[in-house]
Amino acid sequence: MKIDLTDTTSSKINKALVKARRAIGTPAVGMVLTLVIVTDEENAYDALKAANEASREHPSRKLVVIKRVSRSPRDRTKSRLDAEVRVGVEAGTGETVVLRLYGEVINHAQSVVLPLLLPDAPTVVWWPVDAPLDPAQDPLGALAQRRVTDTYAAVQPVHELEARAASYSPGDTDLSWTRITPWRSMLAAALDQVTCDVTSVEVEGEEFNPSCELLAMWLADRLDVPVKRSLSSGPGLTGVRLESTCGPIVLDRADGTLATLSIQGQPDRAVALKRRETSELIAEELRRLDPDDTYAAALRFGVDRLGESEAQMTAPEPVESAAPTAAPARKAAAKKAPAKKAPAKKAPAKKATTK
């Protein structure tokens, strides 16, 4: 059932929801959370489709907030709220309200959404595109216990990760982190099978993919070893190679569907690592509403520290000249400039592996 409301209010939308539930014979509210989707008109269909599929596992009230940009200065001064109320088959499992905001009300979206939240139920806000730099300080994000972004949709994903690290608050998460859950599980299981020490790591994946950066930061933070980030043609993550004292441990996925796990001294194993749809990622995030401390630790490790580790792995070792005339020259230079002697004693490798 679908009800269109033009130039309406939150109170009228609530009444329409009650009327629609009674019309289809389900007056009781059997939803477990409110999912607020903040998007634009271009991406609203795909985001709502993914949310409807995820609602099979998490029955919810879905509020789609679409901020419509007015064309003329006169229209920007006029506030209007249009809504579509969907209940039944068209809304998946739960209810759907599509809110289109015009004019000044765009700057006060939280006042429209707040009366529509389910009472005594958690709230999750999801930005499929154009997420704020500080989701917790956003007026809509402040209403939620969980805030979901997607740096993969950003113009500069690496810079977006840096902004997420600077503004992180408990409850923040990102779908780029959710995408690597199977990789993290498989690598952790592989390391449980050996008793060796990991000495270095290489993460291979396509360029401008924040999931590759997050996996590299997670490995660098947990293993405390240098991590090298290398590029491939994709799709997505294509491989992880861990050098250990017992030989290499390699998880390779070339086609985006099936991966091969290779451990020294053991037969190769085929592992299912299919690239998942957005609906599966959202469903996974809705399973837990508590802060993700592992994501916070990996995010705060920093992309810039990955660059330091990679540079030090590839930097050549200093070689002293064997010419007999070079030694007196070095001694004379050391006496004239003692201040420059201290940096030469530093150990770059230790700097890369310390937190």
Side-chain angles (χ1 to χ4, degrees):
M1 182 177 182
K2 179 180 177 182
I3 301 175
D4 291 328
L5 302 173
T6 303
D7 197 5
T8 186
T9 62
S10 299
S11 176
K12 294 179 181 179
I13 294 173
N14 267 321
K15 292 178 181 179
L17 284 169
V18 175
K19 179 181 177 180
R21 286 199 302 269
R22 290 176 177 173
I24 64 175
T26 57
V29 180
M31 291 161 285
V32 298
L33 58 89
T34 303
L35 177 61
V36 182
I37 307 171
V38 187
T39 183
D40 53 18
E41 199 72 59
E42 179 183 358
N43 297 278
Y45 175 80
D46 292 335
L48 186 54
K49 180 181 178 181
N52 285 336
E53 293 177 2
S55 68
R56 299 172 184 174
E57 182 177 343
H58 309 278
S60 58
R61 173 176 289 180
K62 298 169 286 295
L63 306 177
V64 185
V65 180
I66 302 175
K67 300 179 180 180
R68 299 293 298 270
V69 179
S70 302
R71 297 182 180 180
S72 65
R74 180 180 298 177
D75 292 337
R76 295 190 190 103
T77 61
K78 299 178 182 179
S79 296
R80 191 174 96 235
L81 171 64
D82 295 343
E84 296 178 14
V85 177
R86 304 176 186 177
V87 179
V89 179
E90 296 184 357
T93 306
E95 302 169 344
T96 299
V97 180
V98 181
L99 305 168
R100 290 182 172 86
L101 284 61
Y102 301 82
E104 288 293 329
V105 74
I106 289 178
N107 300 322
H108 306 281
Q110 72 279 6
S111 62
V112 177
V113 171
L114 184 59
L116 300 176
L117 301 179
L118 290 173
D120 302 325
T123 300
V124 179
V125 178
W126 172 32
W127 290 271
V129 293
D130 299 331
L133 293 179
D134 192 347
Q137 296 300 319
D138 183 82
L140 285 173
L143 302 175
Q145 288 78 30
R146 191 78 160 166
R147 296 165 292 276
V148 184
T149 57
D150 192 356
T151 54
Y152 187 78
V155 178
Q156 295 180 317
V158 175
H159 292 170
E160 197 80 4
L161 283 178
E162 295 174 352
R164 293 284 173 268
S167 63
Y168 175 82
S169 295
D172 292 354
T173 189
D174 197 275
L175 293 186
S176 296
W177 173 256
T178 316
R179 289 183 179 95
I180 62 174
T181 299
W183 286 82
R184 294 188 292 117
S185 301
M186 191 56 57
L187 290 172
L191 290 176
D192 286 341
Q193 301 178 32
V194 298
T195 58
C196 310
D197 295 330
V198 178
T199 56
S200 65
V201 178
E202 180 179 1
V203 177
E204 183 185 65
E206 63 184 0
E207 193 175 5
F208 307 120
N209 191 318
S211 295
C212 303
E213 311 293 342
L214 282 170
L215 182 61
M217 289 189 289
W218 174 70
L219 289 168
D221 177 67
R222 304 304 295 176
L223 298 177
D224 197 16
V225 297
V227 177
K228 179 182 178 181
R229 171 75 167 90
S230 58
L231 302 181
S232 70
S233 58
L237 268 165
T238 54
V240 178
R241 182 182 181 90
L242 292 80
E243 297 292 346
S244 70
T245 54
C246 299
I249 302 172
V250 181
L251 183 59
D252 181 71
R253 185 188 69 177
D255 59 356
T257 303
L258 193 65
T260 302
L261 176 63
S262 303
I263 302 178
Q264 188 75 19
Q266 300 182 17
D268 294 349
R269 280 163 284 186
V271 180
L273 277 181
K274 181 181 178 181
R275 303 191 74 192
R276 298 182 293 171
E277 300 292 335
T278 305
S279 58
E280 299 178 67
L281 303 177
I282 285 295
E284 178 183 329
E285 285 300 333
L286 296 180
R287 292 185 196 123
R288 54 174 301 173
L289 300 178
D290 56 318
D292 192 342
D293 296 332
T294 308
Y295 166 69
L299 191 64
R300 287 171 174 164
F301 183 86
V303 182
D304 54 338
R305 292 184 62 185
L306 283 180
E308 291 179 3
S309 300
E310 181 178 348
Q312 289 174 8
M313 287 179 63
T314 58
E317 293 292 334
V319 179
E320 294 188 0
S321 174
T325 57
R330 286 198 303 270
K331 291 181 180 179
K335 290 180 180 179
K336 290 181 180 179
K340 294 183 180 180
K341 189 176 180 181
K345 293 183 178 180
K346 291 185 178 180
K350 291 184 179 179
K351 183 179 179 181
T353 57
T354 54
K355 295 185 180 179

